[in-house]
Amino acid sequence: MTLRILALVSAVLACACAGDGTGPISGDLVAKYRLEPLPSMAFPDDNPSHPGRVALGRLLFFDPIMSATKDVACGTCHHPTLAMADGRALPAGPSGIGLGPDRRLTDPNMILEARNSPTVINAGFNQFFQQVTADGFLFWDGRKRRLENLVTLPQREFSEMRSDVYPIEVTLDSVLARLRAIPEYEDLFAEGFDRDPGQAIDSLALSQALAQFVRSLVGDDAPYDRFVRGDRTALTDQQKRGLVLFHEKGKCADCHSGPMFSDFGFHVVGARQAGPGFQTTPHEDFGRWNVTRLESDRWKFRTPSLRNVAETAPYTHAGTYATLREVVAFMANGVSDLPGVTPGRLELTPTSLSPADIDDLVAFLEALTDIPPVTVPERLPSGLSPPQP
């Protein structure tokens, strides 16, 4: 009888410890929340996995020859030392000196880009109607689908790669002409696409090579991933408490769901606006509305993945939240920071998270970090210098 009473007391104390926000979390959290590892990468039928295209795409990604003024590359705003993002609220493109938060524009006619630059790690794991696909929505407003349609768009943007240097309809043709004038690129394109040199470089091959490199950027060995695969020691007790909060009290998983921690949908969260705004709406950004012109889409932005979120501050579409704790507190508060977004439009649910809860959530989000090794090329076929810290 005494042993049974002691066992019962021990069980009660264990449950109390787990529920007071300080003790260990028991039970199979993987089964409870149906946690899943990252799936296999989805490739479009016309651009299957090819190591030669990945290698070519890596060179192109870091080559400033892709910009009209030859002074900014894709890798300028998506750099390995900055978790394949740029660590800035808003990117600084052509005429910029430096890298990351220290980068500054030297041309007074240039403007910062309108939106925060997300990491491209795991960008290939997109979804559409909850299915992993190569054809999911991309950009903060979902204006493009499929990486092949995204990677050559910056050449047509003034603030990204100075599209005003050439008429917009010939901007990409100018880049292709430059590449065709470099024998080493001709040979690499011919090898990657099984074509004859001299006929290998076109806009389709360029977009496919860049997309191949982006799809190669996979981070699937975060502590969270090891936990899901069966290593129950991969997360600390605090991170496990954060995982429970993420799925329950914090309601984070309502939108940040699945192995990529995103429903890939569009929602009104009322994040603060800063910067130049989006093209035709100076100092304003109406998000998905810019694509659909539907009033119901005003202020909606695509749900970002939370993988590597601890390494990719600042946060939200305009980069107006400097720290992970700050943006978690904003989301938990459930109150718009954007004039015009009424409570009826807001898609955040207020939660009663304590400071200790936020600590636990942040600790869990830090467990989503896995930065794959990416090496900036020492030399480029163009002879230009790749972006370096």
Side-chain angles (χ1 to χ4, degrees):
M1 179 65 71
T2 303
L3 290 176
R4 291 178 62 189
I5 292 173
L6 287 173
L8 179 60
V9 171
S10 296
V12 171
L13 289 174
C15 290
C17 183
D20 69 2
T22 60
I25 294 291
S26 60
D28 189 348
L29 301 182
V30 173
K32 181 177 182 179
Y33 300 121
R34 299 181 181 180
L35 306 182
E36 298 176 341
L38 278 172
S40 299
M41 181 64 68
F43 289 84
D45 292 339
D46 61 350
N47 194 19
S49 179
H50 190 292
R53 296 182 189 182
V54 173
L56 170 59
R58 171 175 166 264
L59 294 173
L60 294 166
F61 190 89
F62 290 104
D63 200 331
I65 201 171
M66 296 289 290
S67 66
T69 46
K70 300 183 182 180
D71 63 348
V72 62
C74 306
T76 304
C77 298
H78 302 283
H79 200 273
T81 60
L82 297 161
M84 298 306 288
D86 68 351
R88 298 177 53 86
L90 299 172
S95 86
I97 295 176
L99 194 68
D102 296 328
R103 187 172 175 82
R104 60 183 179 86
L105 299 176
T106 61
D107 184 343
N109 295 314
M110 283 304 302
I111 59 172
L112 296 175
E113 294 180 36
R115 293 173 179 162
N116 179 260
S117 180
T119 179
V120 291
I121 297 171
N122 292 329
F125 292 106
N126 213 327
Q127 292 185 26
F128 187 63
F129 286 107
Q130 299 181 327
Q131 297 294 319
V132 177
T133 175
D135 293 318
F137 290 112
L138 297 163
F139 288 115
W140 282 101
D141 59 13
R143 67 186 183 276
K144 288 293 182 181
R145 294 174 59 180
R146 186 177 288 202
L147 283 171
E148 284 79 358
N149 296 328
L150 177 152
V151 291
T152 55
L153 193 65
Q155 287 78 30
R156 300 178 174 93
E157 298 288 341
F158 168 70
S159 62
E160 291 194 54
M161 289 188 169
R162 201 64 195 259
S163 62
D164 63 318
V165 171
Y166 303 104
I168 191 134
E169 65 272 12
V170 301
T171 298
L172 190 56
D173 289 338
S174 300
V175 173
L176 294 171
R178 292 177 183 176
L179 295 174
R180 292 179 185 126
I182 301 172
E184 186 175 351
Y185 270 132
E186 282 277 14
D187 292 341
L188 290 170
F189 271 91
E191 178 182 349
F193 292 91
D194 193 24
R195 298 176 180 176
D196 293 332
Q199 300 178 339
I201 299 177
D202 58 24
S203 59
L204 177 61
L206 175 63
S207 66
Q208 288 180 331
L210 282 165
Q212 285 269 349
F213 173 68
V214 173
R215 289 194 182 96
S216 76
L217 304 175
V218 174
D220 60 357
D221 197 35
Y224 170 83
D225 295 306
R226 298 195 294 274
F227 180 78
V228 171
R229 291 197 296 262
D231 181 0
R232 297 303 188 256
T233 67
L235 298 183
T236 67
D237 288 339
Q238 184 183 30
Q239 289 167 340
K240 292 174 186 176
R241 293 196 302 270
L243 188 156
V244 172
L245 286 164
F246 188 90
H247 286 272
E248 296 185 14
K249 184 178 178 182
K251 302 185 183 299
C252 313
D254 288 358
C255 295
H256 295 282
S257 55
M260 275 293 286
F261 294 87
S262 174
D263 63 0
F264 295 94
F266 301 89
H267 301 282
V268 179
V269 300
R272 285 196 304 272
Q273 175 61 37
F278 191 76
Q279 298 176 354
T280 57
T281 54
H283 307 294
E284 296 276 5
D285 192 339
F286 297 139
R288 183 70 175 154
W289 177 90
N290 290 296
V291 179
T292 67
R293 290 301 194 266
L294 296 175
E295 184 58 32
S296 59
D297 283 338
R298 191 181 294 267
W299 297 301
K300 284 188 176 182
F301 291 91
R302 182 172 174 261
T303 306
S305 169
L306 297 183
R307 283 184 170 270
N308 293 307
V309 67
E311 301 296 322
T312 53
Y315 303 104
T316 68
H317 74 280
T320 45
Y321 300 86
T323 68
L324 190 51
R325 185 179 181 85
E326 182 184 358
V327 74
V328 168
F330 160 68
M331 294 290 182
N333 194 34
V335 176
S336 174
D337 275 353
L338 189 64
V341 175
T342 62
R345 291 295 312 280
L346 194 64
E347 297 180 58
L348 288 180
T349 302
T351 56
S352 55
L353 295 183
S354 67
D357 289 337
I358 294 176
D359 287 341
D360 291 348
L361 268 174
V362 169
F364 169 65
L365 294 173
E366 290 171 345
L368 306 182
T369 303
D370 179 33
I371 309 296
V374 181
T375 304
V376 177
E378 293 184 2
R379 59 166 297 275
L380 298 168
S382 66
L384 299 173
S385 298
Q388 293 285 6

